[in-house]
Amino acid sequence: MISAKQLSKQVVTAEGPLTILNNVSLEVADGDSIAIIGASGSGKSTLLGILAGLDVPTSGEVQLAHQVITSMDEEGRARVRAEHVGFVFQSFQLLPGLSALENVMMPLELHKVVNARARATEYLERVGLAHRMGHYPKQLSGGEQQRVAIARAFASEPSVLFADEPTGNLDSTNGAKIIELLFELNREQGTTLVLVTHENRLAERCQRQITIEAGEVVKVSGSTSQEQDALSLSSDNAVSEVR
């Protein structure tokens, strides 16, 4: 589903060139879940944006849904995102003139989903906002706005969901609810999850944890679903031989 090869990102500042990512490579198989972790300023969110086609690297290549999105213009990347990607932004990105329900419905209507209202209602109910659907973003708390943004991303039922600190603005109860919803989507629909998080309980639920320091991958923990299946098969065979 996602392949990144030798990604680098540099920007020019008043003090001179600044390297945000340096030679980052990774693979994410269909249906896998990975957490990108590291200190603030390590390059996590930049990497997430490049993998999702929201940003472009200075050098390197990204394949998403078997398409090389780094060779596309913005229109091409937008088409791939519309077909395959859901994204939960740290800053919510809700439209202030639309209600919670309308914010979730809008991308569905743009893609001519026939049951847009029913699906938007379902996902707002799943994130615990059935009683706030008619409210506008300014009438919602930060945590409620985050849940609207998460419902909007889920409602499109994407093949890959990118999320930048999806539980960062939520209390422990609502954070736990959203974590369960993330992995329900992963399990029930085979959605690939790529998450940036500081939260250990969320990172530990992912199959792999990728640690970034100063724009470089310094540690990879866990295993892919294919590796887990192979380990399970090996264990089953060993049990059979013992019997």
Side-chain angles (χ1 to χ4, degrees):
M1 173 58 75
I2 305 168
S3 173
K5 298 178 181 178
Q6 298 180 318
L7 295 180
S8 294
K9 179 74 174 181
Q10 288 89 32
V11 296
V12 177
T13 70
E15 289 75 31
L18 173 66
T19 297
I20 301 174
L21 293 176
N22 183 31
N23 199 33
V24 172
S25 297
L26 58 86
E27 302 279 338
V28 186
D30 289 347
D32 275 0
S33 57
I34 71 167
I36 302 171
I37 57 179
S40 296
S42 60
K44 306 185 302 299
S45 294
T46 298
L47 175 59
L48 196 73
I50 291 173
L51 295 177
L54 294 168
D55 195 3
V56 292
T58 304
S59 61
E61 177 185 286
V62 174
Q63 288 190 40
L64 175 62
H66 309 292
Q67 301 177 73
V68 182
I69 60 171
T70 41
S71 66
M72 298 177 177
D73 58 15
E74 172 52 30
E75 183 178 346
R77 293 195 303 274
R79 175 182 51 78
V80 174
R81 290 196 303 270
E83 292 176 0
H84 300 283
V85 170
F87 202 104
V88 179
F89 297 91
Q90 218 172 349
S91 56
F92 316 136
Q93 299 289 333
L94 301 179
L95 295 175
L98 299 182
S99 68
L101 179 61
E102 291 165 341
N103 264 285
V104 179
M105 284 176 60
M106 187 187 70
L108 301 176
E109 291 178 326
L110 288 174
H111 296 104
K112 298 180 170 41
V113 175
V114 293
N115 60 339
R117 177 175 290 272
R119 191 188 291 185
T121 299
E122 174 193 349
Y123 279 93
L124 282 167
E125 289 173 347
R126 291 182 74 176
V127 299
L129 288 177
H131 62 302
R132 304 287 272 169
M133 289 192 286
H135 290 72
Y136 292 88
K138 67 180 181 181
Q139 298 172 310
L140 302 172
S141 69
E144 287 170 334
Q145 290 183 60
Q146 179 71 310
R147 283 189 278 161
V148 173
I150 289 168
R152 180 182 57 192
F154 285 163
S156 65
E157 297 180 351
S159 54
V160 55
L161 178 68
F162 296 93
D164 193 355
E165 298 286 0
T167 59
N169 295 290
L170 303 176
D171 58 38
S172 59
T173 299
N174 284 309
K177 182 184 295 184
I178 293 306
I179 290 171
E180 290 307 315
L181 191 55
L182 279 167
F183 289 96
E184 278 181 27
L185 188 71
N186 173 248
R187 182 173 60 253
E188 295 171 5
Q189 300 178 16
T191 304
T192 305
L193 299 179
V194 183
L195 315 173
V196 163
T197 184
H198 284 99
E199 191 166 353
N200 288 334
R201 63 176 174 168
L202 178 53
E204 290 168 359
R205 287 285 298 271
C206 294
Q207 291 161 323
R208 281 189 295 160
Q209 299 79 38
I210 296 175
T211 304
I212 293 185
E213 290 181 8
E216 298 184 354
V217 174
V218 296
K219 183 180 180 182
V220 178
S221 307
S223 58
T224 68
S225 57
Q226 293 173 336
E227 291 167 339
Q228 291 173 349
D229 289 344
L231 287 171
S232 176
L233 180 60
S234 174
S235 175
D236 290 345
N237 290 338
V239 170
S240 297
E241 289 173 5
V242 169
R243 289 174 179 168

